[in-house]
Amino acid sequence: MARRRKGRNVNGILVIDKPPGVTSNGILQQVKRLYGAAKAGHTGALDPLATGVLPLCFGEATKFSQLMLDSDKAYIATARLGIRTETADSEGAVVSERPVPEGLTEADVEAVLERFRGDIEQVPSMYSALKHKGRPLYEYAREGIEVERPARPVTIYELTLLAVRPNELDLAVKCTKGTYIRNLAEDIGEALGCGAHITALRRTLASGFSLDDAHQVADLEQKREQGESLDGLLVAPDAALTMFPELVLEGQNLQSILNGQPVRISGQTLTGPVRLYGENRFVGLGEGQPEGADATLVVPRRLVSSS
């Protein structure tokens, strides 16, 4: 007999403004307990040092967590110039110190930043969660083992210099998934001839959600202590999927999709993920496969339970 999952059925997305000094999983478990939820997950971890947008998925929303993980991100970062660390942030041991170029100006920094805009390649840090032979790289790093890592392509859509101080830079970054801001700061420091590491990192955008959408864990705890329900703070799973086209289904087409069967839609062509709706509700995500010039085969991929 299968074990019954503890907790209640909670469905939706909650965006948290992650505080510093705790892991993303620690926040997830804390909020999961507040909701008494049976099933929950996050959509891409932030380092303990980092703060900001952390979408949490509950119940049916977890079916779309991978798509949310694949979304573009945005950050505000502070880079300390002249010091490199093992982890490329302030939590790692110092490995080198060099003088910052005297009289460093905004123009000097801008000339370097231009090299890092657009399509670039990054060599992931040994202190990343990428896996090698089933183990995260940071475990090898802690054992003093260096693993060869191939460079990976990423795109820096925006790289804006917010401030220059004698030994610090403030940067705003918008980028594709898989971009390591720590590595970016370190590489910028190398290009300036002095090295650098991250001292503060705040994620301002993830899965289409911004800091304006985010809740403080302390506020959630206060509401629970006052006996208030937290369910009204959840947003529907499709709130994170608005980048995909919408398709409303009716009649037999809707029934076929709900039964896991593909349907042929005439009069339009759709390619890739499609949000599916029927009977005034979101029913899941499908994949559009064009058939000729004016028709699409829609294949169900992730359907949500109506219960």
Side-chain angles (χ1 to χ4, degrees), residues 45-88:
L46 285 169
D47 294 334
L49 169 145
T51 67
V53 176
L54 180 66
L56 305 180
C57 293
F58 295 89
E60 294 295 296
T62 60
K63 294 178 178 178
F64 311 101
S65 57
Q66 183 58 51
L67 284 168
M68 296 170 66
L69 182 63
D70 291 344
S71 68
D72 296 336
K73 309 290 192 299
Y75 303 86
I76 292 176
T78 297
R80 169 69 160 85
L81 300 176
I83 299 175
R84 287 185 61 242
T85 71
E86 282 184 335
T87 57

Side-chain angles (χ1 to χ4, degrees), residues 77-84 97-105 109 161 163-170 185 189 192 194-199:
T78 297
R80 169 69 160 85
L81 300 176
I83 299 175
R84 287 185 61 242
E97 293 190 48
R98 284 173 283 173
V100 178
E102 191 172 347
L104 187 68
T105 66
V109 178
L161 179 62
V164 179
R165 293 181 289 280
N167 62 357
E168 284 186 330
L169 305 177
D170 290 339
L192 289 169
C194 59
H197 70 276
I198 289 289
T199 58

Side-chain angles (χ1 to χ4, degrees), residues 1 43 52 63 85 89 98 116 119 123 151 165 200 256 282 284 298:
M1 181 180 294
T43 57
K63 294 178 178 178
T85 71
D89 62 26
R98 284 173 283 173
F116 296 92
D119 297 332
V123 176
R165 293 181 289 280
S256 294
F282 173 63
V298 178

Side-chain angles (χ1 to χ4, degrees), residues 136-174:
L137 289 177
Y138 61 76
E139 290 187 1
Y140 291 96
R142 290 168 182 167
E143 296 171 6
I145 301 171
E146 183 83 10
V147 175
E148 185 175 350
R149 291 101 60 207
R152 306 195 315 168
V154 297
T155 301
I156 308 298
Y157 298 117
E158 298 174 15
L159 179 55
T160 305
L161 179 62
L162 301 178
V164 179
R165 293 181 289 280
N167 62 357
E168 284 186 330
L169 305 177
D170 290 339
L171 302 166
V173 186
K174 186 175 181 182

Side-chain angles (χ1 to χ4, degrees), residues 7-298:
R8 66 190 184 99
N9 289 328
V10 179
N11 297 301
I13 298 169
L14 182 75
V15 185
I16 291 294
D17 183 354
K18 177 191 166 299
V22 292
T23 65
S24 295
N25 188 60
I27 290 295
L28 170 66
Q29 297 306 322
Q30 188 176 355
V31 176
K32 184 180 177 183
R33 285 193 296 271
L34 288 172
Y35 272 87
K39 185 177 183 181
H42 61 66
T43 57
L46 285 169
D47 294 334
L49 169 145
T51 67
V53 176
L54 180 66
L56 305 180
C57 293
F58 295 89
E60 294 295 296
T62 60
K63 294 178 178 178
F64 311 101
S65 57
Q66 183 58 51
L67 284 168
M68 296 170 66
L69 182 63
D70 291 344
S71 68
D72 296 336
K73 309 290 192 299
Y75 303 86
I76 292 176
T78 297
R80 169 69 160 85
L81 300 176
I83 299 175
R84 287 185 61 242
T85 71
E86 282 184 335
T87 57
D89 62 26
S90 55
E91 297 188 334
V94 173
V95 295
S96 69
E97 293 190 48
R98 284 173 283 173
V100 178
E102 191 172 347
L104 187 68
T105 66
E106 288 189 14
D108 296 329
V109 178
E110 281 289 356
V112 165
L113 294 186
E114 187 58 34
R115 306 182 208 173
F116 296 92
R117 295 184 176 113
D119 297 332
I120 65 171
E121 290 196 337
Q122 284 190 327
V123 176
S125 168
M126 276 299 301
Y127 284 86
S128 72
L130 285 178
K131 290 189 176 180
H132 174 73
K133 295 183 177 179
R135 296 178 63 198
L137 289 177
Y138 61 76
E139 290 187 1
Y140 291 96
R142 290 168 182 167
E143 296 171 6
I145 301 171
E146 183 83 10
V147 175
E148 185 175 350
R149 291 101 60 207
R152 306 195 315 168
V154 297
T155 301
I156 308 298
Y157 298 117
E158 298 174 15
L159 179 55
T160 305
L161 179 62
L162 301 178
V164 179
R165 293 181 289 280
N167 62 357
E168 284 186 330
L169 305 177
D170 290 339
L171 302 166
V173 186
K174 186 175 181 182
C175 55
T176 54
K177 68 165 186 174
T179 303
Y180 290 96
I181 305 301
R182 290 177 298 169
N183 292 42
L184 180 64
E186 188 175 57
D187 292 344
I188 290 170
E190 289 302 310
L192 289 169
C194 59
H197 70 276
I198 289 289
T199 58
L201 182 64
R202 185 155 176 77
R203 188 157 68 187
T204 58
L205 178 73
S207 306
F209 298 110
S210 71
L211 287 168
D212 291 338
D213 303 306
H215 301 276
Q216 304 288 336
V217 175
D219 292 340
L220 302 182
E221 291 176 330
Q222 184 177 23
K223 286 179 180 294
R224 288 293 294 144
E225 289 173 1
Q226 294 172 349
E228 297 180 37
S229 172
L230 303 178
D231 290 4
L233 303 179
L234 297 170
V235 297
D238 56 326
L241 306 174
T242 56
M243 72 288 290
F244 303 128
E246 172 186 323
L247 179 64
V248 178
L249 299 169
E250 299 177 340
Q252 187 55 50
N253 281 345
L254 175 60
Q255 194 58 50
S256 294
I257 284 289
L258 293 177
N259 290 335
Q261 301 167 345
V263 298
R264 190 176 188 274
I265 306 295
S266 300
Q268 58 182 309
T269 56
L270 299 166
T271 302
V274 182
R275 287 178 292 141
L276 304 177
Y277 294 84
E279 299 177 347
N280 298 314
R281 68 180 182 90
F282 173 63
V283 298
L285 204 67
E287 180 186 349
Q289 301 173 359
E291 287 194 337
D294 199 31
T296 301
L297 184 70
V298 178

